[in-house]
Amino acid sequence: MSERSKAIPAGLAPDSDEALVWLARNGDFSAFERLFDRHRDLVYRYAYQMAPRRDDAEDIVQEVFVKAYQNLKRYRDEAKFTTWLLRITANLGTDKARMSNRRQKLETRESAGALTWMTVGNMGEDPIKNLEREQTRELLREAIASLPEHHRNAVVFRDIQEMEYDAIADFFGCSVGGAKLRVLRARRALRDRLAPLMEGE
Amino acid sequence: MDNKMTNEQLDALFRRVFGEEEAGDQQLLDAGDGGELSETMSKSMAQELVVLGNLKSELKALGDIPECQLNSARVKDAILGQGIPEARTSWFGSWGRFALPVAACVALAVFLMNPNRGVTTGGGESAPVVASMGVETHGISPMARMDASRQPRIEKELGLSQPDAASQTSIGGTQISGAEVPALGEVSGANRSGTRSQSRRTPKRSEAPRFASAQPVSNGASLTMSAADISAKIDGIAGGGSGTTVDRGSSPSEAVTSIAAGAIEGFSRRGSTDNAMPGAMMAAPVGMGEAGKVVIVGAGTDPQTRASAATEVDKRNVVFGG
C-alpha cells in the first residue's frame, strides 16, 4: 500500500470507490485507473445502447472518463460514483448518439448488418437465422432509441444492464417504488412500439 | 365479460414475465375482475405472455455486445492531451474580479477625504489658478464672469510672491522672456495632481479689501485686458504674431473690442488639435503683477463675449475703505 493510500480519511474502505476517488483527487492516477477498470464495462454497455457501434461507444467511454477525471473535484460523495459516471454518460451520449445515428443512416443497411454480424455473430449458426436475429435486434434498438430519454434509460438500466432498482432510483433521484413504476411504464411504451412487429411474428 | 385486458392485468403480466411478481398479481391474472377469465381473455393473455417473453429475451440479448477494447492507456493519453483545467488555488483568485471596483471606491474615498479638494475656482469667487506661465495677467476667467448681473467686485490677491523678473513675459508691451516659460500645453504639477497650494487660494470675500469707489483709470498706467485676450496674444505670438494686440494707453472702448476679438480667438483654439492649452487656462495667479497695482472688475460686460473687463490701476488711485 502506498503512502497516499495510508492517508485515506477514516470511514472509507481502502478499496471503495470513494477511497479511490479521494486518492485520484490527490493526484494518484493509478487509483483513477482502477476506477476505470472497474466501471469501464458499465459505462460501455450503456454507451453501446445509445451508439450501437463499438468505436462510437468506446469514444463515449473515453470521453466520459476524461470528463470524470477533469471534474473529480466536483464529484460529491453523497452520490454513488457509478451513478455520477452514468449521468455523465447520459449527458455526453445523447449528442454523440445523435451524430452516430445520422452517420449510420448514410451507410447501407447491408453493410451495417454485416459489420454487426461479423462482430457479434456466431459463425457456427445458420447465417440466415443470424441475419434475421440481427435485423430483429436492429429494430429493437431503433424502438429503444425512439423512446423518450427517461423511458430509454429505465429500459436500458433494468432490462439490458440488469441493474438493481436502488441504483436506478439513485440515478433518477427517486424512490425504489418510483423507479419500479418508471421501468414498468417504459416497458409498456416499448411494447406498444413493437406490438405490430411482434404480433406479426 | 370484457375480453380486453386492463392496464392492471397488463402490468401484472409484465411483472410475471420479468420476474418481479407482486402479491396480488396472481389473483389479478387468474380471476380478472373478480370472476373467472373467459376463454378469449385467457387466449389473449397467453399471446401477450409470449410477446413479452420474446421482448425480454431480445432485450437481454442486447446486452451481449462486443467487448470493450478501450484501455486505460488510451484514456490517460486523452486526459493528457486535453489537459487538466486549472484549479482555483487561493481564495484571492475568486475575489480578483472585485479588485477594480474596490480600487475605484478607495480612490474615490481618498479623493473625498482630501481637504484640498475644496479649493475651487468656480463661481467667480476665486480666480483661476494656473501654472506659472510667467505671463503677466490677472486671471479673470471669462467663464467665471459670465454672470452679467453680478455686482461689481474688486479682487485682490494678498501674500503672493512676485514672479521672477527674468521669467516674466510682458504682453502688449514688448518682450517675452522665455527663460522659464513652459511650452504651450504643458501642465504644471499642481494642475496635474489636482491639488493646489494653499498660498494660491483666493481670499474669501470677507478677507478681501473693500473699496468705496474706484477711481478712473489713468491712461498711462492702466492695462485693460482679459485672460482670454492674453491667451490670444500668446497664441498669436507663438503662431507668427497674428494675435490681437492691446496697447497700453488705449481707450476703454478699443480695449473692449480687442478683448472680445482676443477672447473669441482664444476660445476658438480650445478645440484645436495641437494640444495647446488655451491661454485663458494658462493665466498666472492673480496679484502676480506689478507692485502697487490692484485689479478692478467692472460691472459692464461685452455684449458679444459677455466677459467682464478687468482694469489694473495704481494703488495710489484707489481709495480703500468705506
Side-chain angles (χ1 to χ4, degrees), chain A residues 29 36 40 44 48-49 54 58-59 61-62 66 70 120 137 140 158 162 165 184 187-188 191, chain B residues 11 18 20 48 55 58-62 65-66 68-72 74-76 78 82-83:
Chain A
F29 191 77
F36 170 77
R40 175 188 59 186
Y44 173 72
Y48 193 86
Q49 302 309 321
R54 201 188 68 199
E58 285 176 356
D59 285 347
V61 175
Q62 174 181 309
V66 169
Q70 289 176 337
V120 299
R137 284 186 184 181
L140 185 58
R158 180 63 189 169
E162 299 177 337
Y165 272 117
L184 194 60
R187 284 171 181 162
R188 209 189 291 165
R191 187 253 174 219
Chain B
D11 290 345
F18 283 90
E20 301 164 1
E48 192 66 37
L55 178 63
E58 291 296 336
L59 283 173
K60 196 169 183 180
L62 283 183
I65 56 175
C68 179
Q69 296 182 0
L70 186 68
N71 54 22
S72 60
R74 193 174 135 189
V75 174
K76 191 174 184 177
Q82 290 195 16

Side-chain angles (χ1 to χ4, degrees), chain A residues 134-152:
Chain A
E134 285 310 316
Q135 285 176 346
T136 306
R137 284 186 184 181
E138 192 59 37
L139 289 171
L140 185 58
R141 278 202 189 101
E142 286 179 7
I144 292 172
S146 68
L147 289 174
E149 191 178 349
H150 57 286
H151 281 170
R152 186 171 64 237

Side-chain angles (χ1 to χ4, degrees), chain A residues 63-82:
Chain A
E63 207 166 335
V64 165
F65 278 95
V66 169
K67 289 273 181 194
Y69 188 78
Q70 289 176 337
N71 295 286
L72 267 183
K73 294 198 183 297
R74 293 187 189 177
Y75 165 64
R76 292 173 297 167
D77 291 334
E78 57 259 32
K80 285 174 71 176
F81 185 68
T82 50

Side-chain angles (χ1 to χ4, degrees), chain A residues 187-195 199, chain B residues 14 48 52 55:
Chain A
R187 284 171 181 162
R188 209 189 291 165
L190 182 63
R191 187 253 174 219
D192 289 344
R193 286 170 197 252
L194 290 170
E199 284 166 4
Chain B
F14 267 112
E48 192 66 37
L52 294 182
L55 178 63

Side-chain angles (χ1 to χ4, degrees), chain B residues 261-279:
Chain B
I264 291 168
E265 187 177 351
F267 275 102
S268 67
R269 293 180 179 225
R270 295 185 74 174
S272 64
T273 56
D274 58 1
N275 291 329
M277 180 169 281

